[in-house]
Amino acid sequence: MANDECGGYVYASGGSGNQCCYLKSDANPSLVKPCRSGDSCIAYAKTSRAGTDANTTGMPVEMLGSWLGDEKYVNPEDPADVYLSCSSVIQQKANLPGRRIMSWQSIRGLCGRSDLRSDWFQGTLLNGYGELYMYEIIGWQCLPLSDCDDDMSAQDGSEGLPKGWEIKSKSCARVSGWDLTRAPGTYSCMLVQTAVVSGPGTNGTVDSAVVNTYTYGSDFCTDPWGCCPSKAVFATDAISADVNAFGAVRGILQVTYPDDIYDADYQADSPQIDLHDPCTWSCYDAAEGECCKGDQGFGFSCDK
């Protein structure tokens, strides 16, 4: 099928076949025309807007899974007005566009002060303060570590690193999400710092955790990268000083996906990706030879 057979639409080749995609109306990406009945190319229409410098398949490995932690929203009209909540963020896996969903749900009050029983989500106000947000991640980029600046210190009642704990490894990225719930047709951009933190455990052991700091901008941006915060931060003064930053979440990894998720013989009960090992991440800037694992496990190969 040649481009001129698309009748004014854009030709695309992807996981669901060759397609004629959108663009009789560049302002309305919901106007799509599949080449064949049953095909869907709206995902390709949206990811094409992320630009040629963005990754438009999958998402950073270090974001995959379920994360729980404190969130703060800083009122842009009054920086002293800070809303505190406990938030659950889940990022689904996918290699193809249209399947990388980020869901975000919050309840008023910090996690350390919330009732985290099985009925926890019954306290969510679906049309009020605690809303359900859902995004389709259409593109992502790795960034320099200087763009991620959460030092994990205590902030506004939210606990920081325990005594003796420190950041061991870190990566930095930004993602653009197509809003599926509040304002379909608009985008939200987030900067994401992933960090492995470690310190004294029980009985003389060393313990560790993986923490993602999501710093987000407006939910109503018309450009995929037009409302990105300057840095991934959690401090209130840093958020309020950035015209594009509205709030942030520090999410602690709860569970992630099996390490063979992209294999044809994927098994749901396979061992999880070891996100405590930064060599499994997409945006980790490893020292030479640090992540040379050959074909063993989920990580970089020797020639990468």
Side-chain angles (χ1 to χ4, degrees), residues 224-248:
W225 306 110
C227 298
C228 296
S230 299
K231 290 188 175 186
V233 294
F234 194 73
T236 301
D237 57 353
I239 294 172
S240 60
D242 184 348
V243 66
N244 281 337
F246 281 45

Side-chain angles (χ1 to χ4, degrees), residues 33 41 45 58 65 121 136-137 144 157 180-181 200 204 242 246 259 290-291:
K33 180 183 179 182
C41 62
F121 284 110
E136 178 188 328
I137 302 301
L180 296 173
T181 52
D242 184 348
F246 281 45
D259 62 7
E290 178 185 359
C291 293

Side-chain angles (χ1 to χ4, degrees), residues 117-291:
R117 299 174 303 178
S118 60
D119 61 354
W120 178 60
F121 284 110
Q122 293 180 14
T124 302
L125 304 175
L126 294 180
N127 293 305
Y129 174 76
E131 294 182 300
L132 172 64
Y133 299 84
M134 191 170 290
Y135 306 96
E136 178 188 328
I137 302 301
I138 65 162
W140 58 275
Q141 298 171 319
C142 297
L143 297 177
L145 290 181
S146 56
D147 289 335
C148 287
D149 202 24
D150 181 14
D151 62 2
M152 301 288 172
S153 60
Q155 297 285 337
D156 297 315
S158 179
E159 295 181 358
L161 291 179
K163 183 178 180 180
W165 282 58
E166 60 181 343
I167 297 175
K168 288 294 189 180
S169 304
K170 193 169 79 168
S171 74
C172 189
R174 71 172 182 172
V175 298
S176 179
W178 171 270
D179 195 323
L180 296 173
T181 52
R182 300 188 71 213
T186 64
Y187 303 89
S188 182
C189 179
M190 306 173 202
L191 264 71
V192 184
Q193 171 183 300
T194 300
V196 172
V197 297
S198 66
T202 58
N203 300 321
T205 61
V206 175
D207 203 356
S208 66
V210 186
V211 182
N212 273 350
T213 302
Y214 306 86
T215 304
Y216 54 83
S218 169
D219 280 328
F220 307 107
C221 197
T222 57
D223 183 280
W225 306 110
C227 298
C228 296
S230 299
K231 290 188 175 186
V233 294
F234 194 73
T236 301
D237 57 353
I239 294 172
S240 60
D242 184 348
V243 66
N244 281 337
F246 281 45
V249 174
R250 267 190 196 147
I252 301 172
L253 178 66
Q254 305 298 303
V255 64
T256 187
Y257 292 93
D259 62 7
D260 59 355
I261 54 174
Y262 297 132
D263 296 345
D265 58 348
Y266 158 71
Q267 300 294 321
D269 58 353
S270 297
Q272 291 184 24
I273 301 170
D274 183 9
L275 292 186
H276 290 252
D277 179 2
C279 291
T280 63
W281 302 353
S282 300
C283 294
Y284 181 58
D285 187 11
E288 184 175 355
E290 178 185 359
C291 293

